Amino acid sequence: MKHFIVEISYLVPLDRVQQSVPAHRAYLQLGYDAGLLLCSGPKLPATGGFMLARAASLEALQAFFAEDPFSTEQIASFKFSEFNPVKRQGWAEAWFSEA
C-alpha cells in the first residue's frame, strides 16, 4: 500500500460547505470501512481539511475521492501527497504495514 496526506481546500463559502458535510462524512465512512482512511478532520480555521489515507495507487485514491460529494458538487479541491511512513506509533503498525 502507498500512503498519502490528502488536503482538501474549500472552493465555496463555508455556509455552502456545511450543507454538504453530512453527505461528505457519510461518504468518508465508506473509506474507513474499506481501510483506506486512518483519520480525517477540518483545518483550523475552517478552510478545508486533512486526511491520512492509503491505497494501492494514487489513481485508486483519486478515483475514490472523485465520488466524494465535495468533489461531485465542486465544493472542494483535493491535493494528494504520497509519503513514506518510516516511523509511527506502535498501535498504528497494522494499518501501515498491511498489504
Side-chain angles (χ1 to χ4, degrees), residues 1-2 10 13 28 52-53 55 59 62 67 75-77 90 92 98:
M1 291 291 228
K2 296 180 179 206
Y10 299 148
L28 290 184
L52 187 55
E59 295 77 17
Q62 288 172 324
E67 300 301 318
I75 290 171
S77 62
E98 288 179 9

Side-chain angles (χ1 to χ4, degrees), residues 16-81:
R16 175 60 190 96
V17 171
Q18 291 172 333
Q19 294 173 18
S20 293
V21 165
H24 164 69
R25 289 186 178 162
Y27 185 77
L28 290 184
Q29 189 59 51
L30 299 174
Y32 281 102
D33 294 345
L36 296 176
L37 300 175
L38 180 63
C39 62
S40 59
K43 294 179 189 177
L44 299 173
T47 59
F50 288 106
M51 288 174 256
L52 187 55
R54 67 180 183 178
S57 67
L58 172 60
E59 295 77 17
L61 194 60
Q62 288 172 324
F64 173 76
F65 281 105
E67 300 301 318
D68 184 309
F70 277 8
S71 181
T72 61
E73 297 174 26
Q74 299 179 351
I75 290 171
S77 62
F78 294 78
K79 178 182 175 186
F80 304 89
S81 298

